[in-house]
Amino acid sequence: MSNIPADLQYTKEHVWVKVEGNIVVMGITDYAQDQLGDIIFVDLPETDEEISIGDVFTEFESSRMTYEVLSPLSGKIVASNEELDYSPELINEDAYANWIIKVILSDDTELDDLLSSEEYKACIDE
């Protein structure tokens, strides 16, 4: 059973989102890291890069596959979790503590399209 914190929002593509003022923190869910297996590399985006909904903002390589992560929101990347450059396995250890990027949203109405924890749980239980 995957861990799905109630205080986060989610996408069907297994991205979690946490709103902290005007900054949005994003990572992949516990379910996604479990499906990937042992993560061996994370390709982090540059800070100050603009992203739009549907853009690939990072790519994971794992023991099982390569996985492109799509952005559920638009904005400017203000931070990438550089710890993942040296220790990508941190995502396997705790997918929610080890965020990938922080973004200043360009349109906060995009948050309305994200899933609640209950909706995300129903999505992965299908």
Side-chain angles (χ1 to χ4, degrees):
M1 178 64 205
S2 292
N3 176 17
I4 306 171
D7 64 330
L8 302 175
Q9 293 176 284
Y10 301 88
T11 71
K12 289 180 180 175
E13 293 77 29
H14 314 294
V15 173
W16 62 260
V17 173
K18 182 176 186 179
V19 180
E20 296 179 341
N22 68 335
I23 303 282
V24 174
V25 183
M26 291 191 249
I28 64 166
T29 64
D30 188 49
Y31 176 84
Q33 72 75 24
D34 186 56
Q35 297 299 304
L36 284 168
D38 294 333
I39 296 170
I40 54 177
F41 177 75
V42 180
D43 183 20
L44 295 170
E46 298 293 319
T47 56
D48 294 331
E49 192 176 310
E50 294 282 339
I51 57 171
S52 298
I53 291 177
D55 286 354
V56 174
F57 71 86
T58 192
E59 189 174 281
F60 288 92
E61 287 181 28
S62 75
S63 56
R64 297 183 189 157
M65 67 181 94
T66 300
Y67 177 66
E68 291 183 334
V69 184
L70 305 180
S71 179
L73 304 165
S74 302
K76 181 178 179 180
I77 298 171
V78 292
S80 289
N81 187 350
E82 294 178 7
E83 274 188 41
L84 300 177
D85 277 338
Y86 308 102
S87 302
E89 71 280 0
L90 290 171
I91 296 283
N92 293 119
E93 293 169 15
D94 189 337
Y96 299 109
N98 294 290
W99 54 277
I100 300 166
I101 61 171
K102 294 184 180 184
V103 174
I104 294 178
L105 278 182
S106 53
D107 181 359
D108 61 4
T109 63
E110 293 174 353
L111 294 168
D112 299 341
D113 295 328
L114 299 176
L115 305 175
S116 69
S117 59
E118 294 84 13
E119 291 167 327
Y120 179 67
K121 182 182 182 321
C123 173
I124 61 175
D125 285 347
E126 286 177 357

